[in-house]
Amino acid sequence: MEILRYAAFTDRPDGGNPAGVVLDADALTPGEMQAVAADLGYAESAFLSLRGPGSATVRYFAPEAEIPFCGHATIATGVALAERDGPGTLALSTPVGVLALTTARVDGRLVASLETVEPWVDTMDPGRRADLLRHLRLAEDDLSADLPVLLSFAGNIHPIVPVRDAGILRSLDYDYDGLRTLMAAEGWGATVAVVHRLAPDVFEARNPFPPGGVREDPATGSAAASLGAYLRARSEVVTPGTLTVHQGADVGRPSLITVGIPATGGLTVSGGAVRITA
């Protein structure tokens, strides 16, 4: 078994979100996968099993739990596989459904793109919303006046919490244990996306990730896709269009995530990844 290490949504090994990638995971048990993920300590690791020409299955593990879907580890897996076998398209069976994972060379570097499952957006119970803000240590006047707090799904459920200015985003300091307990009770197994709008189609984001045992995720592809679905559902973006999400600078690993937003259906998350050799 070869354990690869990649940084996704970046062009430098000290940027983006690190992910472990195992391209031949057929012989591993779930417990062994969990042990590898815990040992690496990255936000997520992906374990791939090829099933035939153009098809594979994948499972995702954070340091403390298996999760149904992970954007950055999928992007890292796509680039790692393309480096080994060449660019192409893979039908990727995940716990949330079959996704199309495509890799291609763009301006000399490999870029991976995944198409998400059908997304949905929903309101949040007022009591849970109040609990969420309390654990995030945010007040009502910290929030955007134009964009509400909602739940959005594009593979994982992400609470989307828009704040009114960049200073509030920079100073985010949440209650780790309290948020972890709330997210476990609600079945929110991924991150909370705290976001600030820089332009109609450009956002910056911070993503607490206590369910995975990680204080903050440097680049969250599923949350970026969920934000795209949220904006489309509210007619906040022109479709077809492209959303750009900046994330990770607050934890010293700047990243750039691109989300293609069609008029209907799944969204397309794209980015590069680079090998971490040390």
Side-chain angles (χ1 to χ4, degrees):
M1 178 186 66
E2 183 180 17
I3 303 170
L4 305 174
R5 296 163 173 82
Y6 278 79
F9 298 119
T10 183
D11 58 2
R12 46 186 258 205
D14 60 346
N17 200 352
V21 177
V22 177
L23 294 178
D24 299 291
D26 301 68
L28 295 179
T29 67
E32 289 169 332
M33 295 179 193
Q34 183 66 74
V36 170
D39 184 61
L40 286 172
Y42 295 154
E44 284 96 4
S45 295
F47 298 84
L48 191 73
S49 298
L50 294 173
R51 295 305 183 204
S55 68
T57 61
V58 67
R59 295 177 73 167
Y60 306 100
F61 287 82
E64 295 187 6
E66 183 174 9
I67 63 169
F69 173 62
C70 173
H72 86 273
T74 303
I75 296 297
T77 298
V79 170
L81 196 62
E83 288 181 347
R84 190 185 75 174
D85 300 338
T89 298
L90 187 69
L92 190 63
S93 295
T94 77
V96 299
V98 179
L99 313 178
L101 175 61
T102 302
T103 50
R105 289 202 175 272
V106 179
D107 298 328
R109 64 189 290 253
L110 285 168
V111 173
S113 300
L114 66 93
E115 183 177 341
T116 74
V117 294
E118 184 74 29
W120 54 257
V121 178
D122 201 359
T123 56
M124 190 181 301
D125 174 84
R128 299 295 77 72
R129 180 184 180 280
D131 290 341
L132 175 62
L133 294 182
R134 176 166 52 86
H135 293 311
L136 289 172
R137 296 174 178 149
L138 293 174
E140 288 292 340
D141 61 3
D142 292 327
L143 303 180
S144 167
D146 303 315
L147 298 173
V149 176
L150 297 175
L151 295 175
S152 186
F153 170 89
N156 290 317
I157 298 174
H158 294 274
I160 307 293
V161 184
V163 297
R164 61 181 172 83
D165 64 47
I168 294 168
L169 194 66
R170 296 284 79 75
S171 62
L172 181 67
D173 179 23
Y174 72 95
D175 172 6
Y176 182 94
D177 291 333
L179 186 59
R180 178 176 178 146
T181 299
L182 172 65
M183 294 180 75
E186 294 299 308
W188 302 337
T191 68
V192 175
V194 185
V195 302
H196 171 241
R197 194 173 208 165
L198 299 174
D201 56 0
V202 181
F203 279 72
E204 56 181 345
R206 298 186 69 175
N207 277 249
F209 187 25
V214 176
R215 183 160 187 87
E216 184 167 342
D217 207 13
T220 317
S222 65
S226 293
L227 176 59
Y230 165 106
L231 295 170
R232 182 176 70 184
R234 289 184 45 77
S235 300
E236 290 282 350
V237 288
V238 176
T239 58
T242 301
L243 170 67
T244 300
V245 179
H246 298 273
Q247 191 180 330
D250 297 281
V251 291
R253 301 193 69 98
S255 65
L256 182 66
I257 306 170
T258 301
V259 181
I261 308 176
T264 60
L267 293 82
T268 302
V269 179
S270 300
V274 292
R275 186 85 172 261
I276 301 172
T277 57

